[in-house]
């Protein structure tokens, strides 16, 4: 079976690799190689104005590609390797296409041991969006990743089910106060404890981070949120005691378990070809903010 060394060689060759991370599976390419990165946009059907995250092995490698100020160093020191992405001024080593032409770059040090081994063996930044086709739920299992974009990859690494299950938290440290561009497993409270209050994303951020705007993470069936029971023809994804036991995010009401299961449950519900998917309410505290963000976007309520 192919391992990290073969994956690093494929990346160096300009090929795409299905890369497991602790958040979701990524579709990876050499970030410095514009032609390789172009294959990612083609495979996902992703608009080229939507920039990709550059994954690196450690904080020192992050400093080689991005201008990291004190706040960035505090966040990187506190949460890397882990599910946090920092948007900072661009320095060097990442292609224009991966950055969608911006003078900033999104950088993250993933925690999954296979991702770390590939990054160490490759030695440079790796661009990797979630391995889903654009607009669809992110893959959190090897099988889902293969189904989404496996055909475009020269090589796929099986890292098991993703522990976190939601994409990384994205924080912008560009001009002005820090802003939360995408909630995730590193929560607002954890970030504010290190660098102070987070401001709301502004309209400039919306241009730079269009992932915030489109209908996203969406199954084929329409979603109905905050449901307490299923209407005829609907599939029902429960949380805690609300909704069915078999298609539940977490019967015991645990938010980490719910996050890890969210995209898988959306895929399972979709496979029933229902008229709609009803979803029970999920509390908005802690990790719930990220779960509700993905649910609102999947339902097409964006803002
Ligand atoms: O957990 C994750 O972050 C996964 C795994 C594979 O690491 N990757 C991921 O990538 O979710 P992607 O491409 O699906 O999401 C990247 C997000 C998008 O919303 C994009 O708009 C934003 O980061 N982004 C990337 N570069 C940016 C930049 N320079 N400024 C603002 N937003 C940026
Ligand atoms: Mg994505």
């Amino acid at each position: 079976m192919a391992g990290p060394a073969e994956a690093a060689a494929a990346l160096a060759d300009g090929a795409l690799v299905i890369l497991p991370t602790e958040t979701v599976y990524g579709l990876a390419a050499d970030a410095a190689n514009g032609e390789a990165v172009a294959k990612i946009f083609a495979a996902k059907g992703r608009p080229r104005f939507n920039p990709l995250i550059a994954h690196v092995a450690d904080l020192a490698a992050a400093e080689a590609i991005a201008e990291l100020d004190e706040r960035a160093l505090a966040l990187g020191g506190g949460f890397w390797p882990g599910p946090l992405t920092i948007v900072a001024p661009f320095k060097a080593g990442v292609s224009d296409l991966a950055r969608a032409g911006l003078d900033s770059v999104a950088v993250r040090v993933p925690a999954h041991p296979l991702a770390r081994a590939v990054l160490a063996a490759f030695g440079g930044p790796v661009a990797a969006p979630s391995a889903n086709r654009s607009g669809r739920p992110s893959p959190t299992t090897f099988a889902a990743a293969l189904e989404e974009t496996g055909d475009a990859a020269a090589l796929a690494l099986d890292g098991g089910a993703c522990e976190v299950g939601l994409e990384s938290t994205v924080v912008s440290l560009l001009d002005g106060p820090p802003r939360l561009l995408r909630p995730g497993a590193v929560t607002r409270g954890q970030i504010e404890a290190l660098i102070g209050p987070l401001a709301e994303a502004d309209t400039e951020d919306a241009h730079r981070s269009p992932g915030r705007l489109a209908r996203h993470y969406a199954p084929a069936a329409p979603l109905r949120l905050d449901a307490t029971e299923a209407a005829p023809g609907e599939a029902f994804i429960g949380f805690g005691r609300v909704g069915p036991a078999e298609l539940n995010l977490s019967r015991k009401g645990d938010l980490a378990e719910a996050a890890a299961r969210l995209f898988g449950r959306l895929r399972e519900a979709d496979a029933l070809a229902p008229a709609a998917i009803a979803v029970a309410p999920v509390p908005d505290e802690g990790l719930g903010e990220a779960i509700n963000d993905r649910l609102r976007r999947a339902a097409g309520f964006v803002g």
Side-chain angles (χ1 to χ4, degrees), residues 221-222 224 229-236 269-270 272-278:
R224 188 166 69 82
E229 53 192 43
E234 281 185 340
F236 194 4
D270 221 18
L272 304 171
I277 301 171

Side-chain angles (χ1 to χ4, degrees), residues 54 56 59-69 72-73 80 86-94 99 103-108 125 173-174:
V56 293
L59 189 59
E63 287 197 273
I65 64 170
E67 204 70 60
L68 300 185
D69 63 15
L73 294 175
W80 282 344
I86 297 173
V87 175
F90 171 62
K91 240 189 210 170
V94 175
R99 297 172 2 256
D103 53 12
S104 58
V105 64
V107 57
R108 151 164 138 82
L173 298 178
L174 300 177

Side-chain angles (χ1 to χ4, degrees), residues 44 46 129-132 136 138 167 182 216-217:
K44 284 181 58 86
R46 179 177 176 119
S130 48
N132 52 288
R136 297 199 11 95
S138 300
E167 306 79 359
R182 181 171 75 182
H216 226 83
Y217 316 111

Side-chain angles (χ1 to χ4, degrees), residues 7 17 36 49 95 151 184 225 244 251 261:
V17 168
F49 53 75
S95 61
D151 287 351
L225 304 184
R251 200 61 174 161
R261 285 188 182 160

Side-chain angles (χ1 to χ4, degrees), residues 19-27 44 46 49-55 83-88 98-100 102-108 110 128-132 138 166-170 172 174 181-182 204-212 216-217 294:
L19 183 72
T21 85
E22 77 280 21
T23 57
V24 301
Y25 273 80
L27 182 64
K44 284 181 58 86
R46 179 177 176 119
F49 53 75
N50 194 358
L52 308 178
I53 295 170
H55 298 70
L84 176 75
T85 296
I86 297 173
V87 175
R99 297 172 2 256
L102 297 171
D103 53 12
S104 58
V105 64
V107 57
R108 151 164 138 82
S130 48
N132 52 288
S138 300
L166 295 180
E167 306 79 359
S168 60
T169 305
V170 181
S172 174
L174 300 177
L181 300 188
R182 181 171 75 182
E204 257 305 289
D205 293 325
H207 292 298
R208 294 189 192 114
S209 204
R212 297 170 41 74
H216 226 83
Y217 316 111
R294 303 310 188 276

